[in-house]
Amino acid sequence: MELNKRKIDILKAIIHSYIEEGEAIGSRTLSKKYDLGVSSATIRNEMSDLEDLGYLIKPHTSAGRVPSDKAYRLYVDNILIDKNKSKYYKQIKKILQEDINEMEMFLRNSSRILAQLTKYTSLIIAPQFKKSKLKHVQLVPVSGRKVLIVMIMQNNIVKNVLLNLKTPIPENQLNKISNLLNEKLTGLRLDMIDLSMKNRIKKEIYSIRNQYDQKIDELMKVLISSLNEYDKIDVYSDGLNNMLNFPEYNDTEKIREFLSFVEDKDNIVKLLLKNTGEDLDITIGHENIFDEISKCSLITATYKFNGITVGKLGVIGPTRMDYKTAIPIVKALSNNINEIIEKNFKDQIKE
Amino acid sequence: MELNKRKIDILKAIIHSYIEEGEAIGSRTLSKKYDLGVSSATIRNEMSDLEDLGYLIKPHTSAGRVPSDKAYRLYVDNILIDKNKSKYYKQIKKILQEDINEMEMFLRNSSRILAQLTKYTSLIIAPQFKKSKLKHVQLVPVSGRKVLIVMIMQNNIVKNVLLNLKTPIPENQLNKISNLLNEKLTGLRLDMIDLSMKNRIKKEIYSIRNQYDQKIDELMKVLISSLNEYDKIDVYSDGLNNMLNFPEYNDTEKIREFLSFVEDKDNIVKLLLKNTGEDLDITIGHENIFDEISKCSLITATYKFNGITVGKLGVIGPTRMDYKTAIPIVKALSNNINEIIEKNFKDQIKE
DNA sequence: CTTAGCACTCATCAATAAAGAGTGCTAATA
DNA sequence: TATTAGCACTCTTTATTGATGAGTGCTAAG
């Protein structure tokens, strides 16, 4: 038994109906709602076949049928034609245009827009520094025993670490160390600074320490450990309450499950960073690695800086998600973010 | 008709029962559950009086009675004796102890702990810079037309603004401006930098511009406007899903209302910054300025730096909140945060 | 002043019945 | 041979009804 055109048409109609209504549909209602050119009896037979093939599921004996994860997969991979992308691209571009200076605010806005346009819950991961190159390191003397390390990444994201030293280090000494660090570390990716390099830098710093002895030792210890510390990942999310519009979440227990899953940033990070290969990735229902969202689908896209993927964004919603609008919206936002990052967070000067 | 001891005892029993069970209670059940020394008939009469006085509400004719907002207010102000504070203080101190270096992580942890201990939704506002003094300003040349302003506040919170200039400014010129800014601005609160001061600084900068003409003009324009920009307030929240444990939120519509209210950071900011006077503030039900949470109570506390209130924290839950544990927990966390901020985010050197 | 007793109210819950949507099978039809 | 009409049957959903139980307010006795 093969999947002929008529079967696909019927399946498509069922999927569209279910995405729209959220309720199982039977042969008769389907034949009235969509002009499929055959009677409800024929549809009935085809639906029975589609069930045997694993594309449809009966919630119970006389309730009509519902698309399976396999059906959505087929739909997304082979049936769906992705249009409107440029429409959304322009729309998003217009909204995002206004003053994009600070990465945090920019991502927060993007997240809000994504949730508003799709009506699902949006998720965005801030750029990962380890994947981006270091442009400038500066040790700023704050006062006595406090030193601020300012790291400026190639994408002009700035990160600070405040060090508490047991004993003060004079400013000129700090500048020397600053210069040395710059010389050695500029252009490197944070995750490429390995142990041997750290040891080399340490030795060189020791060579300028002369009168400051173990004080520099202490600085180095904190500094090196803080270089490793950059796996904190910021997550932005919006539109949690959008999920409550769906009848699949009319049960408090379901809401709680979803909410406590999404509230835990670790989950989101794991979810979004699961695969970094594809520019666009869709996981449907049980394909998800977490049981808590086995009735959800996730559409994610990457965003890049200098050709390297530095972050991800996406939407999560029920498996009966409106893929045909959500996918182009995610794509369009991802394209916009790519461009804005390249333009606004990159130096005009070639480096 | 006055509020004698017996009435207060009965009211207290009703409040405790309702906080515990979440269900209206009648005279007979009350007399069985609590040893009040009088019969259910007497309780019945007293309850009738308490209703006339506005302390009790009948959901419907034969459903028992429920405390009113006025009752909770009386309870919180006059009946409740706040103990266990030192118990919670020590408990929180122990949990918070581990490495407190970065403000963001610290507040995120605090927020999680607050939600876990109280079983309500926690809200924390990050320190407001305008209220804190500026310690150090540094202009860091990033590359060509980009300049990074690093502002270090007295509490060692660091903030960066990246400026995009139309034309580059040489490094030594930047340093001069840095020094000037430091000289003029150090020790000031950001909200005290008024227009006349900005004009004075502008004049002085003009005096060193000589060969750089309108380039400095441009820098100043961006710099001054960015000094004003510090009203972005970070909000941390945790334990949203705790609200779903309460029967008052077994309705999707109620959940949506609460969720979309809390998801909007502006609301939280307005809510928490409503009154900055008291160290501890409790608003009950309709006392809240937002209708969306007119069935919630809010317990907030301040935290300070150098005696000045710089932030707020609190929990929000149903009006039948367990005040007798939530209040001391909020107080205890606020005390802990005060101490930690004084200790870890302050210079050891007197200034 | 307190309490027992009683009539009355109202939400909740379980049982029952009717309605409606859907399925699968069979037999007739193009 | 593929399609369709017809029909018996299934099963959820919704409305109805009645019983249950918690609660109230009033009255009269202690």
Side-chain angles (χ1 to χ4, degrees):
Chain A
M1 182 168 42
E2 71 187 71
L3 217 49
N4 55 22
K5 172 144 180 353
R6 191 167 72 187
K7 282 196 174 58
I8 290 179
D9 284 346
I10 290 173
L11 184 58
K12 193 172 159 185
I14 294 171
I15 290 174
H16 282 162
S17 168
Y18 191 63
I19 285 176
E20 198 183 326
E21 311 278 353
E23 269 169 29
I25 192 164
S27 51
R28 202 172 123 75
T29 318
L30 198 69
S31 77
K32 275 190 286 185
K33 193 169 168 186
Y34 299 90
D35 183 23
L36 292 162
V38 287
S39 76
S40 69
T42 309
I43 294 176
R44 201 143 55 237
N45 292 329
E46 295 287 39
M47 282 172 83
S48 177
D49 288 355
L50 284 167
E51 188 182 354
D52 291 344
L53 289 165
Y55 291 107
L56 293 179
I57 291 168
K58 271 209 283 262
H60 52 262
T61 318
S62 61
R65 286 180 174 93
V66 155
S68 67
D69 289 355
K70 189 179 168 185
Y72 290 121
R73 174 51 64 200
L74 181 77
Y75 175 73
V76 163
D77 287 345
N78 301 319
I79 300 175
L80 196 60
I81 296 153
D82 171 1
K83 45 188 178 181
N84 290 327
K85 205 173 106 183
S86 74
K87 183 184 106 188
Y88 290 122
Y89 173 79
K90 282 174 197 154
Q91 188 184 353
I92 292 171
K93 187 167 191 169
K94 203 181 272 174
I95 307 172
L96 274 181
Q97 216 47 269
E98 333 150 354
D99 108 289
I100 308 155
N101 276 316
E102 209 200 5
M103 182 57 92
E104 192 187 322
M105 211 43 128
F106 168 63
L107 293 177
R108 207 182 289 285
N109 280 342
S110 301
S111 176
R112 213 193 52 243
I113 290 165
L114 187 52
Q116 278 173 358
L117 287 181
T118 58
K119 311 275 186 213
Y120 300 112
T121 298
S122 67
L123 307 170
I124 299 191
I125 271 191
Q128 282 183 274
F129 304 106
K130 288 198 170 181
K131 293 286 172 67
S132 170
K133 287 180 186 168
L134 196 63
K135 191 160 72 185
H136 190 78
V137 188
Q138 180 116 22
L139 299 178
V140 181
V142 172
S143 66
R145 293 156 31 187
K146 304 221 176 201
V147 174
L148 181 75
I149 311 179
V150 181
M151 301 196 215
I152 305 169
M153 310 307 292
Q154 205 176 28
N155 43 8
N156 290 327
I157 289 162
V158 184
K159 274 286 165 174
N160 315 293
V161 186
L162 192 65
L163 304 183
N164 275 301
L165 300 175
K166 290 220 179 66
T167 45
I169 295 182
E171 197 167 331
N172 65 333
Q173 207 69 7
L174 274 182
N175 284 338
K176 277 189 196 163
I177 298 174
S178 262
N179 292 338
L180 182 63
L181 286 175
N182 262 312
E183 189 187 312
K184 295 292 168 190
L185 299 182
T186 302
L188 278 175
R189 276 167 47 183
L190 280 190
D191 61 348
M192 310 263 282
I193 303 173
D194 60 4
L195 201 66
S196 74
M197 177 166 297
K198 283 176 198 160
N199 285 333
R200 251 183 296 143
I201 298 168
K202 202 169 172 178
K203 263 185 200 141
E204 301 204 46
I205 289 177
Y206 273 118
S207 74
I208 54 161
R209 70 174 173 181
N210 42 42
Q211 68 265 51
Y212 294 103
D213 295 332
Q214 79 284 25
K215 295 169 189 176
I216 289 169
D217 208 14
E218 193 192 334
L219 170 72
M220 270 313 289
K221 222 166 106 186
V222 194
L223 178 61
I224 282 175
S225 82
S226 68
L227 282 179
N228 278 331
E229 234 172 42
Y230 276 99
D231 45 10
K232 198 199 75 183
I233 303 176
D234 277 333
V235 173
Y236 303 91
S237 168
D238 204 343
L240 279 177
N241 69 76
N242 283 344
M243 293 304 269
L244 304 180
N245 294 323
F246 304 107
E248 28 280 77
Y249 288 92
N250 56 8
D251 173 22
T252 314
E253 213 37 61
K254 301 263 176 59
I255 299 172
R256 186 209 308 283
E257 192 176 31
F258 181 77
L259 208 57
S260 50
F261 177 80
V262 179
E263 223 182 344
D264 185 344
K265 302 212 169 202
D266 287 348
N267 287 335
I268 305 303
V269 171
K270 279 180 200 147
L271 198 62
L272 289 186
L273 296 185
K274 188 200 59 178
N275 57 347
T276 45
E278 299 298 318
D279 275 0
L280 189 89
D281 184 56
I282 301 171
T283 47
I284 294 165
H286 289 89
E287 296 170 6
N288 278 304
I289 48 172
F290 292 101
D291 276 353
E292 294 95 324
I293 51 166
S294 65
K295 287 182 176 171
C296 294
S297 282
L298 181 71
I299 303 174
T300 61
T302 60
Y303 62 90
K304 304 183 177 206
F305 179 73
N306 273 350
I308 297 169
T309 299
V310 291
K312 296 198 95 179
L313 74 158
V315 290
I316 185 168
T319 44
R320 65 172 189 96
M321 177 183 277
D322 183 4
Y323 298 94
K324 78 176 179 308
T325 66
I327 293 173
I329 291 173
V330 170
K331 278 189 190 170
L333 180 63
S334 134
N335 287 342
N336 267 293
I337 291 185
N338 272 336
E339 280 177 25
I340 288 168
I341 286 187
E342 290 289 339
K343 201 164 69 183
N344 289 53
F345 295 95
K346 186 181 177 175
D347 283 333
Q348 265 68 14
I349 293 170
K350 286 270 170 274
E351 41 199 345
Chain B
M1 181 169 41
E2 70 187 72
L3 216 50
N4 57 21
K5 171 144 180 352
R6 191 168 71 187
K7 280 197 176 58
I8 290 179
D9 283 346
I10 290 173
L11 184 58
K12 192 171 160 186
I14 294 172
I15 291 174
H16 281 162
S17 167
Y18 191 63
I19 285 176
E20 198 182 327
E21 311 277 353
E23 270 169 29
I25 192 165
S27 51
R28 203 172 123 75
T29 318
L30 197 70
S31 78
K32 276 190 285 185
K33 193 170 166 184
Y34 299 90
D35 183 23
L36 292 162
V38 286
S39 76
S40 68
T42 309
I43 294 175
R44 201 144 52 237
N45 292 329
E46 295 288 40
M47 282 171 83
S48 178
D49 288 356
L50 284 168
E51 188 182 354
D52 291 343
L53 289 164
Y55 292 108
L56 292 180
I57 291 166
K58 268 210 286 261
H60 52 262
T61 317
S62 61
R65 285 181 176 95
V66 155
S68 67
D69 289 355
K70 187 177 170 188
Y72 290 122
R73 174 51 64 200
L74 181 77
Y75 174 74
V76 164
D77 287 345
N78 300 320
I79 300 175
L80 196 59
I81 296 153
D82 171 1
K83 48 188 177 182
N84 290 327
K85 203 173 106 182
S86 74
K87 184 184 104 188
Y88 290 122
Y89 173 79
K90 282 174 196 155
Q91 188 185 352
I92 292 171
K93 187 168 191 168
K94 204 181 274 174
I95 307 173
L96 274 182
Q97 216 46 269
E98 334 150 354
D99 103 293
I100 309 155
N101 276 315
E102 209 202 4
M103 183 56 92
E104 191 187 324
M105 209 45 126
F106 168 64
L107 293 177
R108 207 183 289 286
N109 280 341
S110 301
S111 176
R112 216 193 49 243
I113 290 165
L114 187 53
Q116 279 173 357
L117 286 180
T118 57
K119 312 275 187 216
Y120 300 112
T121 298
S122 67
L123 308 169
I124 299 190
I125 272 192
Q128 284 182 271
F129 304 105
K130 288 198 170 181
K131 293 287 172 65
S132 171
K133 288 180 187 169
L134 195 63
K135 192 161 69 185
H136 190 77
V137 188
Q138 180 115 24
L139 299 178
V140 181
V142 171
S143 65
R145 294 154 32 184
K146 303 220 176 201
V147 175
L148 182 76
I149 310 178
V150 181
M151 301 195 214
I152 305 169
M153 311 307 292
Q154 204 176 30
N155 43 7
N156 289 328
I157 290 163
V158 183
K159 274 285 164 176
N160 315 294
V161 187
L162 192 65
L163 303 183
N164 275 302
L165 301 176
K166 289 218 179 71
T167 44
I169 295 182
E171 197 166 332
N172 65 332
Q173 206 70 6
L174 274 181
N175 284 338
K176 276 189 196 162
I177 299 173
S178 263
N179 291 338
L180 181 63
L181 286 175
N182 263 312
E183 190 187 311
K184 295 291 167 192
L185 301 181
T186 303
L188 279 175
R189 277 165 48 181
L190 281 191
D191 60 348
M192 310 261 282
I193 302 173
D194 61 4
L195 201 65
S196 74
M197 178 167 297
K198 282 176 199 160
N199 285 333
R200 250 183 297 142
I201 296 168
K202 204 169 172 179
K203 267 185 198 141
E204 301 205 44
I205 289 176
Y206 274 117
S207 74
I208 53 162
R209 70 173 172 179
N210 43 43
Q211 69 264 51
Y212 295 102
D213 295 332
Q214 82 283 25
K215 295 170 189 175
I216 288 169
D217 208 14
E218 193 193 334
L219 171 73
M220 269 314 288
K221 220 166 108 187
V222 193
L223 178 62
I224 282 175
S225 81
S226 68
L227 283 177
N228 277 333
E229 234 172 42
Y230 275 99
D231 45 11
K232 198 199 76 184
I233 303 176
D234 277 333
V235 173
Y236 303 91
S237 168
D238 204 343
L240 280 177
N241 69 76
N242 283 344
M243 294 303 271
L244 304 180
N245 294 322
F246 303 107
E248 29 279 79
Y249 289 91
N250 56 8
D251 172 22
T252 315
E253 214 36 61
K254 301 265 176 56
I255 299 172
R256 185 209 311 282
E257 192 175 30
F258 181 77
L259 208 57
S260 50
F261 177 80
V262 179
E263 224 183 343
D264 186 345
K265 301 211 167 198
D266 287 349
N267 287 335
I268 305 303
V269 170
K270 280 179 199 146
L271 198 64
L272 289 186
L273 296 185
K274 187 199 58 179
N275 56 346
T276 46
E278 299 298 317
D279 275 0
L280 188 88
D281 183 57
I282 301 172
T283 46
I284 294 166
H286 290 88
E287 297 170 6
N288 278 303
I289 47 172
F290 292 100
D291 276 352
E292 295 95 323
I293 52 166
S294 65
K295 286 182 177 172
C296 293
S297 282
L298 181 71
I299 303 173
T300 60
T302 61
Y303 62 89
K304 304 182 178 205
F305 178 74
N306 272 350
I308 298 169
T309 299
V310 291
K312 295 197 96 179
L313 73 159
V315 290
I316 185 168
T319 44
R320 64 173 190 93
M321 178 183 277
D322 182 5
Y323 298 94
K324 78 175 178 310
T325 67
I327 293 172
I329 290 173
V330 170
K331 279 190 190 168
L333 180 62
S334 132
N335 288 341
N336 266 293
I337 291 184
N338 273 336
E339 281 178 24
I340 288 168
I341 287 187
E342 290 290 339
K343 202 165 65 184
N344 289 53
F345 296 93
K346 187 182 177 176
D347 282 333
Q348 266 68 15
I349 293 169
K350 287 269 172 273
E351 40 199 344

